[in-house]
Amino acid sequence: MKRSNDIYINRINRAIDYVNANVDKNISLEELAAVTFFSAFHFHRIFVAITGETVKNFTNHIRMEKAARLLRFSGKRISDIALECGFSDTSSFSRLFRQYFETSPTEYKNGIEIKSSKIRKALYPVNTYHCNINEEELENRFLVEIRAFAQRSIAYIRLTDAFREGVVLNAFKKIVDWAKEKNLFDTETIFGMSLDDPEVTPKEKYRYEVCITLPDHFNIKDIGHMQVTVLPECRYAVTKISGDLAEVGKGINYMFDVWLTGSNYECRHLHAMEIFMDKENICNWDHFDLEFCIPVKALKNIT
């Protein structure tokens, strides 16, 4: 069984309490992250790791629980209950209620008993995509070290709709060709950074950056079609992953779902990195040799 740090649990409980107290409002992920003092970049992933469901599913089932109570016991009109549970119209409220309970709000208000409820099982279970391997086996497979990274200048290609076939792969090919042309391939680090959580961001809006470090005093005029920025000095939790795409997924999910939430660290407000160790085979996606790095700082107990 996964062992979560009590501080993580307490801080996620702040988000749960906030949702319970504001069921009538549309609460953004940024707003919930601020309540917990977790980085907005990584909050949703942490919430899923602790609760086992997405923020959207959690919020919806809290709303549906409240709606069911009000429908049965309050005597209020359905339109008023919809507003009180955070819905702007009764049609969207009714659709979600039927999706959860397989009956309409009117039928339930009139005494029909609920025979099937999805309140306690997510409509789209996220655990399917997360770690279901023995924790000891995962710890041995994905050993974690804390490593300090100095401030560094990078060039990058930012991609949108990054799940579309060939988009990321073509960007890596461009980076590799450019690095070889500028005699940087052997000395510099090539890596990727996911800017969005694929469990939250619509597929067509998902962003990814393909990056390469730059040596000191590099002539920016030679940067070509790329952009330049500076990554600050930071400590990262690093694990090595070697295998196919499924193995990469296991390693990443282990780092967020198990290691991070059981550690004495939390994420900094920076993006995680996938550093490609075998640069010659960086475009061979049948097998990966990479280091997955989460930006971290000491975990604080927020009271």
Side-chain angles (χ1 to χ4, degrees):
M1 179 179 294
K2 182 168 74 70
R3 302 181 299 274
S4 295
N5 188 306
D6 287 342
I7 296 176
Y8 269 92
I9 294 171
N10 291 338
R11 285 168 67 174
I12 290 298
N13 279 339
R14 291 170 66 98
I16 292 171
D17 293 341
Y18 190 82
V19 171
N20 284 327
N22 295 277
V23 175
D24 60 325
K25 299 178 181 178
N26 288 318
I27 306 169
S28 69
L29 286 176
E30 290 76 14
E31 189 175 352
L32 280 181
V35 169
T36 62
F37 296 91
F38 282 125
S39 161
F41 286 161
H42 305 286
F43 166 74
H44 188 265
R45 192 77 191 237
I46 294 167
F47 187 93
V48 170
I50 296 296
T51 67
E53 60 183 325
T54 66
V55 171
K56 181 180 179 180
N57 280 345
F58 173 78
T59 302
N60 281 342
H61 90 234
I62 291 297
R63 288 174 169 175
M64 291 298 98
E65 286 176 339
K66 180 176 181 178
R69 289 195 301 271
L70 292 174
L71 285 166
R72 183 54 56 92
F73 302 116
S74 73
K76 296 181 179 181
R77 296 183 305 173
I78 290 176
S79 58
D80 293 332
I81 292 172
L83 288 173
E84 192 170 334
C85 293
F87 294 87
S88 58
D89 58 80
T90 55
S91 59
S92 58
F93 167 68
S94 296
R95 280 196 302 273
L96 189 64
F97 193 90
R98 183 176 289 278
Q99 195 174 8
Y100 269 85
F101 297 120
E102 296 184 2
T103 190
S104 72
T106 300
E107 290 169 337
Y108 184 68
K109 185 176 178 64
N110 291 336
I112 295 292
E113 293 298 323
I114 294 172
K115 296 180 180 179
S116 177
S117 171
K118 295 185 177 68
I119 284 289
R120 291 304 175 194
K121 52 183 179 181
L123 294 175
Y124 306 102
V126 297
N127 289 337
T128 304
Y129 309 101
H130 291 261
C131 292
N132 56 5
I133 303 174
N134 178 274
E135 184 175 336
E136 184 177 353
E137 180 183 342
L138 287 167
E139 288 178 0
N140 292 331
R141 188 185 304 187
F142 304 112
L143 300 176
V144 180
E145 66 169 304
I146 305 299
R147 189 186 305 167
F149 284 69
Q151 177 179 293
R152 57 235 183 262
S153 297
I154 67 167
Y156 66 91
I157 302 172
R158 180 172 294 165
L159 308 166
T160 303
D161 194 11
F163 280 120
R164 186 158 48 89
E165 186 175 359
V167 170
V168 174
L169 191 59
N170 287 336
F172 272 113
K173 288 178 180 177
K174 288 180 181 179
I175 285 273
V176 167
D177 290 344
W178 178 85
K180 289 181 176 179
E181 177 188 336
K182 302 299 180 184
N183 296 317
L184 300 177
F185 183 76
D186 293 334
T187 59
E188 300 305 315
T189 302
I190 298 176
F191 62 101
M193 296 193 297
S194 177
L195 306 190
D196 297 297
D197 185 340
E199 290 176 358
V200 177
T201 306
K203 183 178 178 181
E204 67 278 5
K205 294 183 179 180
Y206 178 75
R207 298 168 302 156
Y208 189 87
E209 287 182 351
V210 176
C211 313
I212 183 170
T213 56
L214 297 174
D216 293 339
H217 312 300
F218 182 80
N219 189 347
I220 300 301
K221 293 180 180 179
D222 291 336
I223 209 65
H225 56 279
M226 294 181 287
Q227 303 296 313
V228 177
T229 192
V230 175
L231 295 182
E233 178 183 357
C234 182
R235 288 191 298 169
Y236 286 79
V238 181
T239 191
K240 290 181 171 61
I241 305 175
S242 181
D244 60 13
L245 195 58
E247 184 72 359
V248 173
K250 289 186 182 73
I252 292 174
N253 288 329
Y254 166 73
M255 287 288 283
F256 280 108
D257 297 356
V258 180
W259 180 84
L260 181 67
T261 58
S263 75
N264 292 315
Y265 295 93
E266 62 180 286
C267 289
R268 282 190 60 180
H269 196 65
L270 296 168
H271 301 297
M273 301 186 299
E274 299 154 9
I275 299 175
F276 291 82
M277 307 305 293
D278 184 1
K279 289 185 288 187
E280 288 292 352
N281 291 300
I282 207 167
C283 295
N284 174 16
W285 284 16
D286 292 327
H287 184 90
F288 297 85
D289 284 299
L290 57 82
E291 290 183 329
F292 182 68
C293 313
I294 301 176
V296 295
K297 60 183 179 179
L299 179 64
K300 293 183 179 180
N301 192 5
I302 305 300
T303 58

